[in-house]
Amino acid sequence: MLWVKAFHIVFIASWFAGLFYLPRIFVNLAMVAPGSVAERERLVLMARKLLRFTTLLAVPALALGAWLWMGYGIGRGPGNGWMHAKLAVVVLVIGYHHACSVLLRKLADGTSRRSHRWFRWFNEVPVLLLVAAVVLVVVKPF
């Protein structure tokens, strides 16, 4: 079980690294001057590659987490309400990941009307989600 837990943590950390950096690319895309086609295309390419890689990291992170939960019974049984809250956070992280793909599509085709300031705030969401998940898993408040 410790190997599964260790690799789960590695893939979660890697997934979140991508979720931390991808919106930073969105900030730069939102700031590209009109007519800077090469810069825009380079940033879109970087964002697409990072999103693809981040998605590949999410799959084993989720699979290993499911293995710990269902295979080893971590968080099951009475007194494990923290796991329900943590699973809600996981759903929010998946939703955030999906929102990144939608935003990238809009940025790539030029239909996004979001400002770089909005993307800077959007970039803070995964930090809050990670803090919530870690506190729930370590502290187990309920």
Side-chain angles (χ1 to χ4, degrees):
M1 174 179 66
L2 293 179
W3 284 100
V4 176
K5 198 181 284 190
F7 281 106
H8 175 61
I9 292 168
V10 167
F11 281 105
I12 289 293
S14 302
W15 180 19
F16 269 90
L19 292 178
F20 292 155
Y21 189 62
L22 187 59
R24 295 300 306 161
I25 297 174
F26 295 169
V27 169
N28 292 323
L29 269 166
M31 294 175 66
V32 169
S36 299
V37 177
E39 180 183 6
R40 190 176 178 308
E41 287 178 1
R42 180 177 46 83
L43 288 169
V44 167
L45 178 64
M46 286 173 58
R48 282 185 175 146
K49 286 184 176 189
L50 181 58
L51 179 64
R52 189 176 316 120
F53 187 62
T54 303
T55 302
L56 289 174
L57 293 167
V59 171
L62 293 168
L64 291 166
W67 188 357
L68 288 167
W69 180 42
M70 293 185 284
Y72 290 109
I74 292 177
R76 290 175 41 186
N80 287 302
W82 62 271
M83 180 56 91
H84 297 288
K86 188 220 172 203
L87 290 173
V89 171
V90 170
V91 169
L92 291 173
V93 173
I94 293 168
Y96 183 86
H97 189 124
H98 176 70
C100 284
S101 67
V102 171
L103 289 167
L104 176 55
R105 213 174 1 246
K106 288 182 178 184
L107 283 162
D109 66 18
T111 61
S112 175
R113 299 294 171 238
R114 305 279 186 189
S115 71
H116 68 92
R117 284 189 180 93
W118 186 89
F119 284 113
R120 288 178 197 277
W121 283 104
F122 180 74
N123 189 43
E124 301 306 320
V125 173
V127 174
L128 299 173
L129 293 172
L130 181 61
V131 168
V134 169
V135 168
L136 287 167
V137 170
V138 174
V139 178
K140 296 177 178 54
F142 44 86

